[in-house]
Amino acid sequence: MKKKLIIYNVILTLIVLALMLGVGLAVTDSNYKEMTERKIREITDIYAENYSEDLSLPSGGDIRVTIVSATGVVLKDSSRQDVSDMENHIDREEIIAALNGEPRVVERESETLGTSMMYYAEKVTVSESADGYVFIRVAVPVESSRSYILKSLVPMISILVVVWAGGTIASVLLSGVLLKPLQQVKEGLAGIERGTYKEIPPTTGDEDLNVILSGINDLGSRLQTSMAEARGEKQKLDYVLNNVSDGIAVFDVGLNVLIANPRIYEIFGVKNVKGKHIEVLTADKTFISEVSDCATGKAGGIFQFETDGRYYMCTVRYTDSDMIIAVISDVTESKNREKMRLEFFANASHELKTPLTSVKGFNDLISMQSTDERIVEYSRRADKEINRVLNLINDMLGLSRLENSGLSPERLTAVRLEEVAGEVAENLKLLSDEKEVSVTVSGKGEIQAEREHIYELIKNLAENGIRYNKKGGRVKIEIAEGKDGVTLKVQDNGMGIETQDQSRIFERFYRGSKSRSRETGGTGLGLSIVKHVCELYGAELTLKSKLGAGTVISVVFPRDKDA
């Protein structure tokens, strides 16, 4: 670095000296020409003031004096004795300028002497006649000015060489003083990267430079500490990423992989995908589509996908730093246990329903044939409990069918919601009359669905509205078509749902007031069935309720649902 700095200084000094030399020569040339022009004018003025016909002209020297008549004939010339063969000078530029009363210095090649000259002429009146005047012209060779410049060039170059040598020596000396601390700074910064930073002694003899070196020492020490802490945090993060049971992947907005832990490679069966597009990581359309939607909409989500016969739950989030984080959990075992539970659930329900139906029949026979009031009362209570269990089993079977059947395109038909709602109201008339609750249906709308699913949804919503109502209450089933889809709204003015229960009311067997549910005959599965139907069709389910004022449940079936 020191050698380079010296070379740069030498080159820079040479360039500056060359510029200075050029400027000096130009200024010298300009000054000498101005001085020469002034001298020519002064000499011409002297000859003009002292002119007479017998005026003698000097011979020899650099100054040439010429007397020219009004017609351009040369009368006298200091450089020649015989002027008879000299050309007419009336067309000379300096003569024309003097004739027009605007004398000026002219530089050109002399045809007589064959050298470059500077000319100046003045018009001098000698009589009163029209052509009673002559021109006095003075000329100086340009070579004389150039010789002057050449004479001044040698001392100028000598001075510049001395300045250049002194500057070079100074740059060599100063570079050693200035570059030594800089070299130490360079080595210290390299030490920070290696974790072996050593302080630079602030002992240069320059107070300002010592202050700078002290600041660099302080900054280097803090930077080394920060880098050590960063390396420690990175090691911890790497340990977590490498040992966590979930797959973790980070993408940029272009869906290129920024980070992928070993579990990601196990899930998708790939290696070394950092910096590559998501399609290199996996060809699963669901995964790519959900991550892409997250990048486009800058919002997160949760979805499930299947690959290589295993099921995964993925949570995606969009961060403030324009990255998408995907956390993938293996839920295969959970899925299998849920499937076994559902199969057991369905089988147990079927097995329980047959003996309970028989018990209900025997109980009815006992009630009809017995005359003992106590036995009749006991039989009535037993019948009530048997009906409650049968209703529960029926709901369990219905929910099981929904969970196991899914949607089949060939079973989808055009379902008019107002017709299904009317059928539900008719089938629930005995219950609504018993509770003294009115049920009304208004509006119309059509969707593509399985009629049985829509019937179960409306039935459970309307039945809840009747059961948890008061005498003289009402249940409104309203249907409307809009730009977002078809909306089904079931509204009642009954008991309402407490605020703390509203977030859990769609869970299986959850009942806000268990004593009230037993009184009304609820099973706790109706709203779970409603929620599952909504999930099957991608419908939006919302609930608004106020204790003592009633409940409104809305279901919006999207128009673009691809069944």
Side-chain angles (χ1 to χ4, degrees), residues 20 38 55 57-58 98 226 246 249 293 299 318 418 425 441 461 464 530:
M20 291 175 62
R38 187 167 58 251
L55 178 69
L57 301 178
S226 298
D246 293 335
D293 291 345
Y318 192 91
E418 68 275 14
V441 179
L461 290 177
N464 275 1
V530 170

Side-chain angles (χ1 to χ4, degrees), residues 151-401:
K151 289 178 182 178
S152 62
L153 183 62
V154 174
M156 289 177 65
I157 292 177
S158 300
I159 294 172
L160 293 177
V161 169
V162 172
V163 172
W164 170 75
T168 302
I169 294 171
S171 66
V172 171
L173 296 176
L174 289 174
S175 62
V177 176
L178 295 176
L179 288 179
K180 183 178 180 181
L182 293 179
Q183 185 65 29
Q184 291 176 324
V185 171
K186 178 183 176 182
E187 294 174 357
L189 294 177
I192 292 176
E193 186 176 357
R194 296 190 301 267
T196 58
Y197 178 74
K198 294 182 180 180
E199 289 192 356
I200 307 166
T203 56
T204 62
D206 186 302
E207 188 62 30
D208 293 334
L209 187 55
N210 289 340
V211 172
I212 294 174
L213 291 177
S214 297
I216 292 175
N217 286 334
D218 182 52
L219 179 62
S221 178
R222 285 184 290 173
L223 185 58
Q224 182 168 264
T225 302
S226 298
M227 291 179 66
E229 292 176 352
R231 282 193 293 268
E233 293 300 322
K234 184 179 182 300
Q235 289 175 354
K236 294 177 183 177
L237 179 60
D238 289 342
Y239 179 82
V240 172
L241 289 176
N242 293 335
N243 292 277
V244 71
S245 60
D246 293 335
I248 299 176
V250 180
F251 306 90
D252 61 18
V253 291
L255 301 186
N256 298 308
V257 181
L258 300 178
I259 298 174
N261 70 340
R263 181 64 180 133
I264 286 289
Y265 297 143
E266 293 177 8
I267 292 173
F268 295 108
V270 294
K271 291 183 179 179
N272 301 324
V273 295
K274 291 182 181 179
K276 299 179 181 179
H277 195 262
I278 190 174
E279 291 180 349
V280 178
L281 177 67
T282 176
D284 187 88
K285 294 182 179 180
T286 301
F287 185 83
I288 295 175
S289 175
E290 291 291 341
V291 176
S292 178
D293 291 345
C294 179
T296 304
K298 296 184 178 181
I302 300 175
F303 62 93
Q304 289 188 16
F305 68 97
E306 180 185 359
T307 180
D308 293 334
R310 300 193 69 83
Y311 298 91
Y312 297 93
M313 178 74 71
C314 182
T315 302
V316 290
R317 290 288 183 272
Y318 192 91
T319 68
D320 295 335
S321 53
D322 295 328
M323 295 188 299
I324 301 100
I325 299 177
V327 179
I328 305 174
S329 303
D330 190 334
V331 294
T332 305
E333 301 303 325
S334 176
K335 276 278 186 182
N336 291 337
R337 287 194 298 269
E338 182 180 0
K339 184 178 180 181
M340 293 175 61
R341 180 179 58 81
L342 291 176
E343 291 175 353
F344 172 79
F345 188 74
N347 293 334
S349 298
H350 280 291
E351 294 298 327
L352 288 172
K353 187 173 183 180
T354 301
L356 280 173
T357 303
S358 300
V359 171
K360 177 177 173 57
F362 290 134
N363 184 64
D364 290 341
L365 288 174
I366 293 173
S367 177
M368 288 186 294
Q369 294 180 3
S370 177
T371 56
D372 190 330
E373 291 295 331
R374 290 180 303 171
I375 294 176
V376 173
E377 177 61 22
Y378 294 149
S379 177
R380 185 188 64 79
R381 293 180 182 179
D383 187 66
K384 181 179 179 181
E385 295 300 323
I386 292 171
N387 285 332
R388 191 171 71 84
V389 174
L390 286 173
N391 289 335
L392 177 60
I393 291 174
N394 288 331
D395 284 346
M396 290 168 64
L397 289 172
L399 184 58
S400 178
R401 283 194 298 270

